[in-house]
C-alpha cells in the first residue's frame, strides 16, 4: 500500500490519566483525512476504534477501554499514513473496588481472591471475608524480605484486620515505591471512607433507594399472593408469626446484652466527652495559654490565638463555649491595658511604639492608641526640655566645690553633642581677638552655652522619632494589614482632623525650645511670659561674642537637621528668628568687647619707636579690630533661609555707632597716653637715630622720656593712623559687608585730626613759647639801645641762643620722627619770626649802627631757617626788615655781607641740620638706668 502522507503523530491527550471508559481528546498531526481513513486506534494496548470519533486531521475523540497495561502510548493507524507514533502516554487508573464489609445497594459480581488460609484462589460471594485495599490506590509489592520485616517489627503484623496491625509495615510491604502525591490521595480516600461509615445505614439507603423500593414491591406481591391462595387463612398469618419471632428475638437479645449495652452507652458518653475535650482543647486551654505567652512576651502568639478563637467561638450559643470565651475576653482586655501602659511609658524607642500600636490595633483596642502615644511623646519631650533647663540651672547654683561657672567640654557635655554636631568644624580659635582667651575656650565653655548644646542634642534625639511616628500614623504603616483595611476610612477622617493638632504640638515644642534658649542666651529679649526662665539663670554678665557664635553654630546645625526631616519651614521659623537675633546680638557684643579691649591697649604701650617714629600701638589696634571682624565671619555669613544681619536700619545704625566708638576709644587712648604723667611712663627702651648729633644730652645714662617726647610719639602714631591704619580697617569693614563705612571713616578721621591738631598745638606751645619769650630779654640785655650802639661785629648771644634752641627742637623731633621735622620747625620759625617782627616794629628809631645790627641778625635768622620758611614766616621777616632804615651806602651793604659770611662760617656745623637732608638712619635702643 503506497503512502502519500506522513505517518500519524500524537502530540497530546487530555486528560492524560483516568479509569476505563474515560472520554479523552487526542491531538496531533496527520490523524487521517476522514472517518474512513482511520483504521486503527489503541490506548495502552487496547483497541478503541469502536468508540473513536474522527473530528479533524489533528483531533480525535474516543473512550478508553479495559486495558491490560496501566500505562502506554496512543497509536493511530490510517490508510494514507500507516501506523503512527506518539510523544505522550496515557495512565490507566484502577476503578474503586467495594470491600467485603462495605454496604452496597446493588449486586456485586463475585471475584477471585487469594485465600491465605488454603494458599489457593477461590471464587466466593462478595460478602464473605476477604482482604480489601484500605488506601484505595494500586498496591506495589516491595522487594523487602519477610524475615527482615519481622525482625524490624517484632510482634506486629501487616494485616490491617489484626489487633497488632503496623501501618509502617503495611506501607513498606505494599507501597514502598508509591509517590507522595499518591499517598496524599490515599489519605483523602481514607477520610472519605470514614465519612461514609459515620453516616451508616442512611448513606446506604440514600445510595440504594430504588433497590429498597423494589424489595418493598416484591414483599407486597408475595403478601398479596399468599392472601389470594388462602394460605394465611388456613395456617395463620405467616408475616405475623415472623414478626412475633423477631420481637421475641429482639427482647431476648436486649435482656442478654442490657448490661453490656449499658456499659457501652456509658463508654460512648465518656468517649464523646473526651472527644469534645480533645477536639476543642484549644479553647479550653486558651486562657492559661494567653497568660503564659503574656509573661513570655509572645504577644503575636496571643493575638493569633485570639483571632482564631474569635472566628470559631465568637458567636457560639453553647454555654460552656460561651463561658470559656468570656474568660478569654477578660484576659485579652487585661492585655490591652498592659500594652497601652507600655505604649504610653516613656522613654521608649520608635520600634517598640510601632510594635505596641500594631498589637493594640490587632486586638481592636477602643479609642486611638497611636494618637495617645503621640500625645504622650509630646508631653515627654516638653518635660525633658524643662528638666534639662532646671538641671543646668541647678548645676550652676551648686556648691563651688562641686560645680563651677563653666563645664568641661571634654567631659559629658562634649560627649553628648549629637553626631552631626560633633563632626562639624568648631569655631575658628584664631578669630578671637584675645589670645589668652583662645586657649581657655578650647577646654571650657560657659554654662549657658553648654546648656544650648545639651538642649539641642535632646531635641534632636527625640523630635525625629516623634516626627516619624506621626508620618507612620498618617500613611497607616503603624497598623497591621487587616486593621488598615478595616479602619482606613475612619483613620483618614482622624488624620484630617488631627493634622492641626499635631501642627500645634510641633509649634509648642519649637516655641518652648526657643523660649528656653532665649532665656539663657538673650535674657533681656525674653518677654514677660518667659521671665521665669530668665530669672532662673540669675544672669550677672552677658555672654561673650565667642560664646554667642558657638551657640549660633549649634542652632544652625540643629535647624539643618530638623529641615532634613522635611518638617515644614513655617514650623521652624521661630528657630530662624532666634538665630537672626543671636547674630545681631553677637555682632553688637563683639564690637562692645572690642572697644573694651582697645581701651586696655594703653597698658600695652612700650614706647619702643622704630625708624619711622612709630610704636607697636597702631599695629595692636589694627590686629585687635581685624581679629574681632574675623571672629564674626561665620556669624555674618548668610546660610540658606537667613537674611543679612544689617537688613534692619536700626541694626545698621547701632553697628555703625559701635564701630565709630571703637575708633574714638582708641583716639581717647592716644590722648590719654599723651597726657600721662612722667612718673607713669615706662622708658625701658627708646629707639633713636645715631646719625643725629647728641648736642643736647638726649642720649645719656640718665635718660627719661619727657612729656614733649610722648607728644611727638603720639603725633607720629596719629599720622600713621590717618595714612594707613584707619584706611585698612575701613577695607576690612567693607569686606565683611558692614554698612555706613563712609560715615565711620569720616567721623573717625575728623576725631583723629582734631586730636592731632590739639596735640600739635600743645607741643608747639611747649617748644616755641620759651624761644619766643627769650628774644626780647636777650635783645635788650646789658641795657642795649638801638639808638646808641657800637658798629656790629657779629650776631649777639640772644640770636645764637634762639638758634641753639631751634636746633634742639629739630634734634628732638628728628630723633622721634623725621616726617614731623618740617611741620614742627615751620611753626616754631613762624612764632619766632612773628615775635621778631613785633619787636622791630616797636622800636621808635634806629641809629645807623643799630639798623645795621638789626638787619644782620634778622637776615642771619632768616637765611639759617630758609628751608622751613612758610608764607607767614616770610611775611613776618619782610615786615621786620621794612621796619628798619634802609642801608644808605654801598659800604654798609658790603659790611653786612661780610658779617653774614663770617657768621655762617663760624657756626656752619650747627646750621647743617637746616641745610641738607639727613643721611639714612640706623635704629637702636638705648636702655635707661
Amino acid at each position: 500500500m503506497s503512502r502519500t502522507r506522513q505517518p500519524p503523530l500524537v502530540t497530546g491527550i487530555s486528560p492524560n490519566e483516568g479509569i476505563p471508559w474515560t472520554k479523552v481528546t487526542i491531538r496531533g498531526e496527520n490523524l487521517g483525512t476522514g472517518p474512513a481513513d482511520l483504521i486503527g486506534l489503541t490506548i495502552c494496548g487496547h483497541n478503541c476504534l469502536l468508540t473513536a470519533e474522527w473530528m479533524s486531521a489533528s483531533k480525535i475523540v474516543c473512550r478508553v477501554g479495559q486495558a491490560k497495561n496501566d500505562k502506554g502510548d496512543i497509536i493511530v493507524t490510517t490508510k494514507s499514513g500507516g501506523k503512527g507514533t506518539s510523544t505522550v502516554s496515557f495512565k490507566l487508573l484502577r476503578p474503586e473496588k467495594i470491600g467485603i464489609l462495605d454496604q452496597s445497594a446493588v449486586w456485586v459480581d463475585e471475584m477471585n481472591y487469594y485465600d491465605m488460609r488454603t494458599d489457593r484462589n477461590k471464587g466466593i460471594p462478595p460478602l464473605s471475608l476477604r482482604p480489601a485495599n484500605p488506601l484505595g490506590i494500586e498496591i506495589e509489592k516491595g522487594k523487602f524480605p519477610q524475615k527482615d520485616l519481622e525482625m524490624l517489627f517484632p510482634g506486629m503484623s501487616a494485616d490491617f484486620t489484626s489487633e497488632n496491625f503496623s501501618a509502617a509495615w503495611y506501607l513498606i510491604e505494599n507501597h514502598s515505591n508509591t509517590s507522595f502525591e499518591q499517598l496524599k490521595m490515599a489519605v483523602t480516600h481514607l477520610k472519605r471512607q470514614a465519612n461514609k461509615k459515620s453516616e451508616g445505614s442512611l448513606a446506604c439507603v440514600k445510595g440504594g433507594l430504588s433497590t429498597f423500593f423494589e424489595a418493598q414491591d416484591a414483599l407486597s406481591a408475595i403478601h398479596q399472593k399468599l392472601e389470594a391462595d388462602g394460605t394465611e387463612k388456613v395456617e395463620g398469618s405467616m408475616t405475623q408469626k415472623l414478626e412475633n419471632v423477631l420481637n421475641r428475638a429482639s427482647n431476648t437479645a436486649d435482656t442478654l446484652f442490657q448490661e453490656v449495652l449499658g456499659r457501652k452507652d456509658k463508654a460512648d458518653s465518656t468517649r464523646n466527652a473526651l472527644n469534645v475535650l480533645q477536639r476543642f482543647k484549644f479553647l479550653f486551654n486558651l486562657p492559661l495559654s494567653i497568660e503564659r505567652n503574656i509573661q513570655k512576651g509572645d504577644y503575636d502568639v496571643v493575638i493569633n490565638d485570639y483571632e482564631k478563637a474569635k472566628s470559631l467561638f465568637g458567636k457560639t450559643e453553647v454555654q460552656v463555649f460561651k463561658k470559656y470565651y468570656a474568660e478569654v475576653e477578660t484576659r485579652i482586655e487585661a492585655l490591652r491595658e498592659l500594652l497601652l501602659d507600655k505604649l504610653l511609658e516613656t522613654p521608649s524607642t520608635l520600634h517598640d511604639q510601632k510594635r505596641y500600636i500594631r498589637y493594640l490595633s490587632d486586638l481592636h483596642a477602643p479609642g486611638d492608641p497611636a494618637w495617645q502615644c503621640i500625645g504622650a511623646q509630646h508631653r515627654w519631650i516638653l518635660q525633658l526640655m524643662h528638666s534639662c533647663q532646671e538641671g543646668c540651672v541647678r548645676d550652676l547654683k551648686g556648691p563651688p566645690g562641686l560645680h563651677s561657672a563653666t563645664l568641661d567640654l571634654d567631659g559629658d557635655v562634649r560627649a553628648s553633642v549629637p553626631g552631626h554636631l560633633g563632626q562639624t568644624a568648631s569655631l575658628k580659635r584664631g578669630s578671637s581677638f584675645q589670645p589668652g582667651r583662645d586657649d581657655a575656650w578650647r577646654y571650657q565653655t560657659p554654662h549657658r552655652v553648654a546648656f544650648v548644646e545639651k538642649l539641642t542634642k535632646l531635641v534632636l534625639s527625640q523630635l525625629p522619632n516623634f516626627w516619624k511616628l506621626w508620618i507612620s500614623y498618617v500613611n497607616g504603616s503603624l497598623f497591621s494589614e487587616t486593621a488598615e483595611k478595616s479602619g482606613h476610612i475612619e483613620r483618614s477622617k482622624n488624620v484630617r482632623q488631627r493634622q492641626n493638632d499635631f501642627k500645634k504640638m510641633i509649634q509648642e515644642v519649637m516655641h518652648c525650645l526657643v523660649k528656653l534658649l532665649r532665656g539663657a542666651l538673650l535674657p533681656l529679649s525674653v518677654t514677660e511670659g518667659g521671665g521665669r526662665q530668665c530669672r532662673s539663670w540669675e544672669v550677672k554678665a552677658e555672654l561673650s561674642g565667642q560664646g554667642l557664635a558657638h551657640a549660633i553654630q549649634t542652632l544652625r546645625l540643629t535647624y539643618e537637621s530638623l529641615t532634613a526631616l522635611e518638617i515644614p519651614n513655617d514650623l521652624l521659623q521661630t528657630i530662624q528668628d532666634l538665630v537672626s537675633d543671636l547674630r545681631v546680638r553677637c555682632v553688637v557684643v563683639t564690637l562692645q568687647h572690642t572697644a573694651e579691649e582697645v581701651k586696655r591697649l594703653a597698658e600695652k604701650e612700650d614706647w619702643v619707636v622704630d625708624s619711622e617714629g612709630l610704636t607697636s600701638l597702631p599695629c595692636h589696634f589694627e590686629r585687635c579690630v581685624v581679629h574681632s571682624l574675623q571672629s564674626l565671619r561665620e556669624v555674618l555669613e548668610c546660610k540658606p533661609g537667613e537674611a543679612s544681619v544689617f537688613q534692619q536700619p536700626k541694626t545698621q545704625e547701632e553697628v555703625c555707632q559701635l564701630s565709630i566708638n571703637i575708633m574714638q576709644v582708641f583716639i581717647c587712648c592716644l590722648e590719654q597716653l599723651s597726657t600721662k604723667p612722667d612718673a607713669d611712663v615706662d622708658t625701658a627702651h627708646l629707639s633713636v637715630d645715631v646719625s643725629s648729633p647728641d648736642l643736647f644730652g638726649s642720649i645719656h645714662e640718665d635718660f627719661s622720656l619727657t612729656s614733649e617726647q610722648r607728644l611727638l610719639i603720639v603725633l607720629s602714631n596719629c599720622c600713621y593712623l590717618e595714612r594707613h591704619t584707619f584706611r585698612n580697617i575701613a577695607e576690612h569693614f567693607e569686606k565683611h559687608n558692614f554698612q555706613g563705612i563712609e560715615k565711620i571713616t569720616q567721623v573717625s578721621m575728623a576725631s583723629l585730626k582734631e586730636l592731632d591738631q590739639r596735640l600739635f598745638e600743645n607741643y608747639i606751645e611747649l617748644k616755641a613759647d620759651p624761644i619766643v619769650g627769650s628774644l626780647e630779654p636777650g635783645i635788650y640785655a646789658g641795657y642795649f639801645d638801638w639808638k646808641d650802639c657800637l658798629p656790629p661785629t657779629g650776631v649777639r648771644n640772644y640770636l645764637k641762643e634762639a638758634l641753639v634752641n631751634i636746633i634742639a627742637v629739630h634734634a628732638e623731633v628728628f630723633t622721634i620722627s623725621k616726617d614731623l621735622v618740617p611741620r614742627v620747625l615751620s611753626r616754631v620759625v613762624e612764632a619766632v619770626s612773628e615775635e621778631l617782627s613785633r619787636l622791630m616794629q616797636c622800636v621808635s628809631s634806629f641809629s645807623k649802627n643799630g639798623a645795621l645790627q638789626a638787619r644782620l641778625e634778622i637776615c642771619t635768622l632768616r637765611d639759617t631757617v630758609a628751608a622751613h620758611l612758610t608764607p607767614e614766616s616770610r611775611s613776618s621777616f619782610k615786615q621786620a626788615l621794612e621796619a628798619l632804615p634802609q642801608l644808605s651806602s654801598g659800604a654798609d651793604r658790603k659790611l653786612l655781607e661780610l658779617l653774614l659770611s663770617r657768621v655762617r662760617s663760624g657756626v656752619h656745623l650747627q646750621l647743617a641740620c637746616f641745610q641738607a637732608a639727613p643721611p639714612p638712619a640706623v635704629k637702636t635702643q638705648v636702655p635707661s638706668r
Side-chain angles (χ1 to χ4, degrees):
M1 180 177 61
S2 62
R3 296 177 182 175
T4 59
R5 297 175 61 86
Q6 295 292 330
L9 175 64
V10 177
T11 59
I13 184 171
S14 177
N16 58 3
E17 62 181 10
I19 62 176
W21 305 110
T22 300
K23 187 177 182 180
V24 296
T25 302
I26 301 171
R27 297 184 183 275
E29 301 174 359
N30 305 319
L31 300 183
T33 58
D37 191 38
L38 182 62
I39 61 174
L41 174 59
T42 60
I43 300 177
C44 298
H46 184 270
N47 188 2
C48 302
L49 182 60
L50 294 177
T51 60
E53 182 181 357
W54 185 91
M55 307 297 292
S56 67
S58 59
K59 180 179 178 182
I60 297 175
V61 177
C62 71
R63 289 186 178 274
V64 180
Q66 290 283 356
K68 297 180 180 180
N69 301 326
D70 294 338
K71 190 174 183 181
D73 295 334
I74 301 93
I75 305 300
V76 178
T77 307
T78 61
K79 295 179 182 180
S80 59
K83 188 176 181 180
T85 57
S86 174
T87 60
V88 295
S89 60
F90 183 83
K91 183 176 182 181
L92 187 64
L93 302 179
R94 297 297 181 184
E96 183 178 358
K97 297 179 181 180
I98 299 176
I100 300 174
L101 301 179
D102 294 339
Q103 294 180 350
S104 176
V106 297
W107 182 260
V108 180
D109 293 332
E110 295 182 357
M111 60 177 295
N112 293 328
Y113 80 103
Y114 186 80
D115 190 350
M116 293 181 293
R117 295 171 296 177
T118 59
D119 289 337
R120 60 189 180 87
N121 291 327
K122 287 186 177 182
I124 63 173
L127 295 181
S128 62
L129 294 176
R130 60 184 176 86
N133 184 4
L135 298 183
I137 59 177
E138 182 180 0
I139 296 177
E140 298 179 0
K141 293 290 185 176
K143 298 181 180 179
F144 294 94
Q146 190 72 17
K147 294 182 179 180
D148 293 346
L149 291 175
E150 292 177 354
M151 293 177 62
L152 186 62
F153 301 99
M156 306 300 289
S157 172
D159 183 6
F160 65 89
T161 61
S162 173
E163 295 182 357
N164 300 326
F165 171 70
S166 173
W169 187 348
Y170 179 82
L171 290 175
I172 293 174
E173 184 178 14
N174 299 294
H175 300 284
S176 59
N177 297 325
T178 304
S179 65
F180 182 71
E181 294 296 329
Q182 289 181 321
L183 290 177
K184 290 170 65 177
M185 293 172 58
V187 172
T188 304
H189 174 76
L190 285 175
K191 291 180 178 179
R192 188 165 57 250
Q193 295 297 326
N195 292 334
K196 287 182 179 180
K197 289 182 179 181
S198 64
E199 292 179 0
S201 300
L202 181 61
C204 180
V205 173
K206 289 180 179 179
L209 190 60
S210 60
T211 305
F212 282 96
F213 287 158
E214 292 175 358
Q216 176 65 26
D217 293 339
L219 291 175
S220 297
I222 293 173
H223 181 68
Q224 293 174 2
K225 185 66 174 175
L226 290 174
E227 286 183 348
D229 293 344
T231 306
E232 294 288 333
K233 295 178 180 180
V234 178
E235 299 180 3
S237 176
M238 185 178 64
T239 54
Q240 185 65 39
K241 293 179 181 180
L242 179 61
E243 181 181 359
N244 294 334
V245 171
L246 291 176
N247 288 333
R248 287 196 301 271
S250 176
N251 292 332
T252 304
D254 290 340
T255 303
L256 292 175
F257 294 98
Q258 184 175 5
E259 183 179 356
V260 177
L261 294 176
R263 289 198 300 270
K264 178 179 179 300
D265 292 340
K266 185 177 181 180
D268 290 341
S269 299
T270 304
R271 188 179 300 106
N272 291 334
L274 292 175
N275 289 337
V276 170
L277 291 176
Q278 180 66 23
R279 181 177 178 183
F280 301 104
K281 66 178 180 179
F282 165 73
L283 177 62
F284 299 139
N285 295 332
L286 188 56
L288 181 61
S289 175
I290 289 176
E291 289 186 359
R292 291 176 178 175
N293 289 325
I294 289 176
Q295 292 176 358
K296 293 189 293 183
D298 295 336
Y299 303 121
D300 290 312
V301 177
V302 175
I303 293 172
N304 291 335
D305 291 345
Y306 173 66
E307 290 293 339
K308 181 179 178 181
K310 185 177 182 181
S311 63
L312 294 175
F313 307 101
K315 298 180 180 180
T316 183
E317 296 297 332
V318 180
Q319 292 300 321
V320 66
F321 292 164
K322 291 175 68 175
K323 179 180 178 180
Y324 275 88
Y325 184 74
E327 190 69 23
V328 170
E329 285 289 356
T330 303
R331 302 291 195 280
I332 293 299
E333 184 61 30
L335 176 60
R336 291 193 187 104
E337 296 177 359
L338 174 64
L339 292 176
L340 185 60
D341 292 340
K342 288 182 175 291
L343 176 63
L344 302 181
E345 183 180 292
T346 53
S348 61
T349 63
L350 179 62
H351 173 73
D352 290 340
Q353 292 170 353
K354 289 184 176 181
R355 190 160 57 94
Y356 293 140
I357 290 172
R358 191 170 290 112
Y359 290 154
L360 289 170
S361 174
D362 291 339
L363 291 174
H364 307 288
D368 193 347
W371 181 251
Q372 294 178 4
C373 178
I374 291 175
Q377 285 300 306
H378 169 247
R379 294 188 293 273
W380 169 248
I381 292 174
L382 294 178
Q383 180 183 349
L384 285 179
M385 293 168 67
H386 288 291
S387 299
C388 177
Q389 189 251 4
E390 293 171 0
C392 289
V393 172
R394 188 166 51 251
D395 292 343
L396 183 61
K397 296 179 181 178
L402 297 177
H403 306 285
S404 63
T406 57
L407 292 176
D408 188 357
L409 281 183
D410 291 333
D412 296 338
V413 174
R414 174 65 67 189
S416 66
V417 176
H420 69 277
L421 292 181
Q423 294 175 0
T424 55
S426 60
L427 295 178
K428 291 187 177 180
R429 310 306 180 190
S431 62
S432 172
F433 49 80
Q434 185 177 359
R437 187 175 298 175
D438 294 345
D439 296 334
W441 183 262
R442 286 193 181 99
Y443 303 103
Q444 293 180 334
T445 187
H447 241 84
R448 286 180 284 165
V449 177
F451 164 69
V452 173
E453 292 184 351
K454 189 174 182 180
L455 184 61
T456 53
K457 177 258 180 181
L458 186 149
V459 172
L460 289 178
S461 64
Q462 298 294 329
L463 199 59
N465 288 340
F466 183 57
W467 181 259
K468 292 176 182 177
L469 185 64
W470 164 252
I471 296 300
S472 300
Y473 179 80
V474 171
N475 59 30
S477 61
L478 280 177
F479 311 96
S480 65
E481 183 178 356
T482 304
E484 183 175 1
K485 291 179 180 178
S486 61
H488 177 73
I489 298 177
E490 181 179 358
R491 188 166 58 256
S492 299
K493 296 179 181 178
N494 292 339
V495 168
R496 288 193 294 270
Q497 294 173 357
R498 287 167 175 167
Q499 278 181 347
N500 292 333
D501 296 337
F502 183 78
K503 184 177 181 180
K504 291 179 182 179
M505 289 182 182
I506 293 293
Q507 287 176 341
E508 186 176 358
V509 172
M510 293 297 104
H511 284 304
C512 181
L513 171 65
V514 171
K515 184 170 65 175
L516 293 176
L517 293 178
R518 281 188 182 276
L521 301 176
L522 299 174
L524 300 180
S525 68
V526 178
T527 59
E528 183 177 355
R532 185 175 65 84
Q533 282 79 8
C534 176
R535 290 192 299 272
S536 62
W537 284 102
E538 295 183 0
V539 178
K540 298 181 180 179
E542 193 170 16
L543 282 174
S544 65
Q546 197 168 15
L548 290 173
H550 191 82
I552 291 170
Q553 179 76 357
T554 303
L555 282 177
R556 280 175 167 174
L557 294 174
T558 302
Y559 179 81
E560 292 176 3
S561 300
L562 295 179
T563 304
L565 295 175
E566 298 182 357
I567 298 178
N569 291 332
D570 58 334
L571 299 180
L572 304 178
Q573 186 59 40
T574 53
I575 297 180
Q576 283 285 45
D577 296 339
L578 175 60
V579 171
S580 178
D581 294 343
L582 285 176
R583 292 171 65 202
V584 173
R585 192 60 195 165
C586 181
V587 173
V588 171
V589 170
T590 300
L591 294 179
Q592 291 174 347
H593 288 184
T594 303
E596 295 175 2
E597 293 292 328
V598 169
K599 189 176 182 179
R600 291 192 291 268
L601 286 179
E603 303 171 1
K604 298 182 180 181
E605 177 60 278
D606 54 6
W607 301 103
V608 177
V609 183
D610 60 11
S611 60
E612 296 180 1
L614 304 175
T615 62
S616 60
L617 196 61
C619 293
H620 282 311
F621 171 64
E622 182 178 353
R623 190 179 302 114
C624 177
V625 176
V626 171
H627 285 179
S628 174
L629 295 178
Q630 288 178 349
S631 69
L632 294 173
R633 181 174 59 84
E634 292 186 2
V635 176
L636 295 174
E637 181 182 356
C638 293
K639 300 294 183 180
E642 295 180 353
S644 173
V645 175
F646 309 106
Q647 185 178 15
Q648 298 297 328
K650 181 180 178 181
T651 304
Q652 295 179 13
E653 182 63 27
E654 186 178 7
V655 172
C656 179
Q657 191 60 43
L658 289 172
S659 303
I660 293 174
N661 183 56
I662 292 174
M663 303 294 195
Q664 291 179 340
V665 165
F666 185 66
I667 293 173
C668 293
C669 176
L670 293 176
E671 185 175 9
Q672 176 188 353
L673 289 173
S674 67
T675 58
K676 198 172 185 180
D678 294 344
D680 296 338
V681 178
D682 181 14
T683 57
H685 298 84
L686 181 67
S687 174
V688 298
D689 191 349
V690 297
S691 64
S692 300
D694 187 15
L695 301 177
F696 311 106
S698 61
I699 302 177
H700 52 79
E701 294 182 354
D702 297 328
F703 172 78
S704 63
L705 201 61
T706 63
S707 59
E708 292 87 351
Q709 290 173 326
R710 290 202 307 275
L711 282 173
L712 286 175
I713 293 174
V714 174
L715 279 172
S716 178
N717 287 338
C718 287
C719 294
Y720 183 80
L721 289 172
E722 181 180 356
R723 294 194 307 268
H724 299 94
T725 304
F726 278 13
R727 299 183 185 276
N728 293 342
I729 292 175
E731 292 178 359
H732 281 284
F733 279 141
E734 184 176 3
K735 180 180 178 182
H736 289 82
N737 299 321
F738 274 57
Q739 303 297 317
I741 299 176
E742 184 177 354
K743 179 180 178 181
I744 297 173
T745 305
Q746 290 177 354
V747 176
S748 302
M749 287 293 187
S751 299
L752 181 63
K753 289 180 180 179
E754 181 183 353
L755 173 64
D756 177 84
Q757 188 62 29
R758 189 165 59 251
L759 297 180
F760 180 74
E761 294 296 338
N762 291 341
Y763 183 77
I764 294 300
E765 182 179 352
L766 290 173
K767 292 300 181 181
D769 286 358
I771 299 175
V772 170
S774 66
L775 288 179
E776 186 172 2
I779 290 177
Y780 297 104
Y783 303 100
F784 179 81
D785 188 2
W786 294 107
K787 298 178 183 178
D788 183 16
C789 61
L790 297 175
T793 58
V795 296
R796 290 181 294 165
N797 289 335
Y798 85 90
L799 185 60
K800 294 179 181 179
E801 183 180 355
L803 287 175
V804 169
N805 289 335
I806 294 174
I807 292 173
V809 173
H810 179 281
E812 185 178 60
V813 176
F814 188 83
T815 302
I816 302 300
S817 175
K818 305 175 184 62
D819 296 335
L820 290 176
V821 171
R823 182 184 179 190
V824 173
L825 287 188
S826 297
R827 286 295 303 276
V828 173
V829 170
E830 286 181 5
V832 172
S833 62
E834 183 179 356
E835 178 66 14
L836 191 59
S837 173
R838 185 187 68 81
L839 292 175
M840 293 300 105
Q841 292 176 3
C842 291
V843 177
S844 58
S845 63
F846 292 88
S847 64
K848 178 181 178 181
N849 291 335
L852 187 60
Q853 182 70 40
R855 190 175 292 275
L856 171 63
E857 292 171 354
I858 292 173
C859 290
T860 298
L861 180 59
R862 183 194 63 186
D863 295 343
T864 302
V865 296
H868 302 287
L869 291 178
T870 62
E872 290 79 7
S873 59
R874 292 179 191 276
S875 176
S876 297
F877 278 120
K878 182 178 180 181
Q879 292 175 3
L881 290 175
E882 289 176 351
L884 301 177
Q886 298 294 325
L887 297 177
S888 58
S889 63
D892 293 339
R893 286 193 289 272
K894 290 182 179 180
L895 178 59
L896 178 61
E897 292 178 359
L898 178 62
L899 292 174
L900 287 173
S901 176
R902 189 181 300 171
V903 170
R904 293 192 193 99
S905 62
V907 292
H908 69 279
L909 290 178
Q910 289 82 357
L911 303 179
C913 62
F914 299 118
Q915 303 299 328
V922 179
K923 179 180 178 180
T924 185
Q925 292 181 343
V926 180
S928 63
R929 298 175 59 180

